[in-house]
Amino acid sequence: GAAPELSLQVAGIEVNPAVVAPLDRGFLPASLFNRKYRELASALGGVPLRLALERRDGSISTLSTSVVPPSAGHLAATLLYVERIVKSLLWQRGGWKVYVGGPAAIGQHISTVYSPTGARKFDFDFMGGVYDHSFEVIVTRPEAVPDSKEMTMALGRHLDGCRVGFDLGASDRKASAVIDGEAVFSEEVVWDPRNAADPNYHYQGVMDSIRRAAQRLPRLDAVGGSAAGVYVNNRVRVGSLYRGVPKKDFDEKIAPLFLRILGELGVPMEVVNDGEVTALAGSMSLGDKPVLGVALGSSQAAGYVNPEGNITSWLNELAFVPVDYRPDGPLDEWSGDCCGSQYFSQQATNRVAMEAGMEFEAGLSLPERLVVLQQKMAAGDPLAAQVYETIGVYLGYGIAHYADFYELKHVLVLGRVTTGPGGEIIVNKSLEVLRREFPEIASFVSIALPDEANRRVGQSIAAASLPDTGRGGNQ
């Protein structure tokens, strides 16, 4: 056959993408590297490697693979392969304890990297904070790794009565008033939570949105909310929205924020991660499951409704899952690693556009730059179209990577980046990647955009359906 158009190398493994990102030729897809590595391991008599992650509720997620025996060489590739899979699993499933069952050199490497002084210090600290438990890595034999024990929650799909749903993003907060599943009022209010140090800014903003929506209802029966971050029993564990709040104020005011609001409103209330609500909204609109929802907004949000139609206790923070293995990839400013937030977000469209020489007026924020990009796209600017094609290539290879960790059937793509004709380009390009590189995935996974109206407010309607008022009316 013809010589590959592009050859990329990392840790001695060569990959040749069949679909090249037009404005980012250096993109080295995780899915291609992992496939190539597994072929190598198989050819060299791979030995088993079992990983398990334990969470605070006692649930355990496992993954089994095989690796090149260290005696057969290729150690750099093996360590890269395993470290990136551990990273992907941590942010998809979550956990405070990681078991690495396999060759000792691999487990020791993971233990060194995920430590208070290692390259993944951010992940070490973050997971410890989420699970209230110091993070640890157990190096052991494959047969000593515990078995999987997953827990799920039936949440949402309650459409009875008069409800308010809200969705807190980094650049705006949305709220809807919903009567028996129909939105009678929806609005978006611009805000800037990430730079707000005063916990009161967050409290007043959320209360303002709830009150404005509640005014449109004859009565208030329930409130449901979705927000970026990790929420456990309505308590804020961690979230980029509250990044500006000092730790002491976070612990005292932000952690119990929604419990305070619940007490003041006096009606059933549930607040969960925005990604879970994205997936729930998708499952409700499709009438099917499983659904992986991926929202391309100020960062990347994701959520998963499993084959039983429930949401899990997993983190699903795909913003931190690596999809590009090039050694000099763009770094996320929070975690210091090259991960999804730089590929599926306003940051990503801005990075790709700027690197391609697109010019923006000085002083424009990322949401404003996205609007300019969308205007250029609508006006037929070929460079703007290539920005969206590039994001689409990222997404196609990214979904192939996610397929290693999720049972997939429907992938719903939404968020502000997908608004307008650019959204169609992203989806079409991602489908082209799957058809050409991963036909076995393309044969059973559908990738879709919700309709424009649902794209903007479907999230807050699904959020409104979270609390059970005990009156019935489940969909």
Side-chain angles (χ1 to χ4, degrees):
E5 188 194 337
L6 188 65
S7 167
L8 300 165
Q9 268 211 358
V10 63
I13 302 267
E14 182 187 336
V15 299
N16 312 109
V19 184
V20 177
L23 300 178
D24 189 359
R25 293 177 64 83
F27 172 57
L28 198 159
S31 43
L32 291 187
F33 176 94
N34 290 349
R35 180 167 73 184
K36 207 70 182 276
Y37 177 84
R38 287 193 283 258
E39 289 167 1
L40 179 69
S42 171
L44 294 175
V47 294
L49 180 85
R50 285 193 72 213
L51 300 168
L53 288 79
E54 186 173 326
R55 290 179 290 282
R56 197 177 45 188
D57 58 5
S59 59
I60 293 171
S61 293
T62 59
L63 185 139
S64 297
T65 183
S66 64
V67 293
V68 177
S71 58
H74 302 283
L75 191 61
T78 298
L79 296 182
L80 175 64
Y81 172 72
V82 177
E83 189 278 318
R84 297 282 80 183
I85 282 189
V86 167
K87 171 97 177 186
S88 297
L89 271 176
L90 267 178
W91 289 100
Q92 184 231 340
R93 306 289 175 95
W96 63 269
K97 185 191 281 189
V98 177
Y99 296 84
V100 184
I106 297 173
Q108 280 147 10
H109 175 73
I110 298 301
S111 187
T112 303
V113 169
Y114 289 86
S115 72
T117 54
R120 302 289 160 256
K121 172 187 182 319
F122 173 85
D123 311 71
F124 177 94
D125 291 340
F126 192 105
M127 293 297 162
V130 169
Y131 296 104
D132 266 346
H133 209 299
S134 53
F135 187 82
E136 54 184 276
V137 176
I138 308 290
V139 182
T140 185
R141 303 179 317 287
E143 57 276 17
V145 171
D147 290 331
S148 178
K149 192 168 83 180
E150 298 288 8
M151 302 190 189
T152 65
M153 294 163 282
L155 201 58
R157 305 176 195 265
H158 304 287
L159 300 172
D160 56 303
C162 301
R163 296 164 173 266
V164 167
F166 64 82
D167 175 40
L168 307 179
S171 48
D172 59 58
R173 50 179 209 268
K174 303 176 187 69
S176 298
V178 180
I179 300 178
D180 294 331
E182 289 294 315
V184 295
F185 166 78
S186 287
E187 71 167 355
E188 297 181 21
V189 177
V190 173
W191 76 332
D192 184 18
R194 286 199 282 203
N195 292 311
D198 180 0
N200 223 23
Y201 177 87
H202 297 269
Y203 166 76
Q204 286 171 340
V206 176
M207 282 303 273
D208 176 59
S209 282
I210 294 172
R211 284 198 187 104
R212 287 159 71 123
Q215 280 168 1
R216 308 300 177 107
L217 296 170
R219 62 177 195 277
L220 183 62
D221 295 326
V223 175
S226 88
V230 179
Y231 300 83
V232 178
N233 299 327
N234 287 331
R235 281 187 81 83
V236 185
R237 302 292 321 158
V238 69
S240 59
L241 294 181
Y242 319 105
R243 226 190 266 195
V245 178
K247 181 165 179 9
K248 183 172 181 294
D249 289 345
F250 180 92
D251 294 342
E252 288 175 11
K253 303 274 178 65
I254 295 293
L257 173 68
F258 295 107
L259 297 171
R260 173 187 173 186
I261 292 173
L262 167 67
E264 289 176 17
L265 294 173
V267 297
M269 180 164 153
E270 290 281 352
V271 179
V272 300
N273 171 271
D274 54 353
E276 306 307 325
V277 179
T278 297
L280 179 65
S283 179
M284 286 166 71
S285 71
L286 292 164
D288 200 9
K289 52 200 184 286
V291 174
L292 177 67
V294 181
L296 284 62
S298 15
S299 181
Q300 178 189 10
Y304 185 60
V305 168
N306 71 6
E308 290 72 54
N310 294 334
I311 65 176
T312 62
S313 63
W314 299 347
L315 284 186
N316 297 314
E317 287 286 354
L318 299 187
F320 296 104
V321 169
V323 291
D324 179 0
Y325 284 4
R326 69 180 128 177
D328 56 348
L331 300 182
D332 168 65
E333 81 286 353
W334 197 22
S335 65
D337 199 355
C338 174
C339 49
S341 63
Q342 290 294 314
Y343 295 80
F344 308 114
S345 64
Q346 294 174 18
Q347 295 176 67
T349 53
N350 181 62
R351 172 179 68 80
V352 172
M354 296 277 287
E355 286 172 2
M358 188 177 284
E359 292 183 2
F360 296 96
E361 239 177 85
L364 289 186
S365 65
L366 288 181
E368 290 165 335
R369 287 177 179 214
L370 179 62
V371 170
V372 173
L373 177 68
Q374 288 165 339
Q375 287 165 347
K376 287 178 187 281
M377 180 67 223
D381 181 325
L383 187 59
Q386 286 192 311
V387 171
Y388 287 105
E389 284 176 19
T390 298
I391 303 292
V393 173
Y394 294 158
L395 184 64
Y397 285 110
I399 287 169
H401 183 51
Y402 302 153
D404 281 345
F405 305 99
Y406 291 100
E407 190 174 329
L408 296 182
K409 183 177 181 185
H410 298 283
V411 177
L412 210 62
V413 185
L414 65 176
R416 187 159 283 193
V417 169
T418 66
T419 302
E424 302 287 342
I425 294 179
I426 291 173
V427 167
N428 291 337
K429 203 71 187 172
S430 67
L431 287 167
E432 181 193 334
V433 170
L434 291 181
R435 283 195 289 265
R436 287 185 60 185
E437 289 272 31
F438 306 95
E440 70 292 351
I441 297 175
S443 68
F444 64 83
V445 174
S446 81
I447 305 174
L449 293 164
D451 64 77
E452 199 70 46
N454 206 13
R455 226 181 281 191
R456 299 306 284 259
V457 299
Q459 186 93 353
S460 42
I461 296 173
S465 84
L466 290 170
D468 185 356
T469 57
R471 297 184 184 155
N474 214 358
Q475 181 210 304

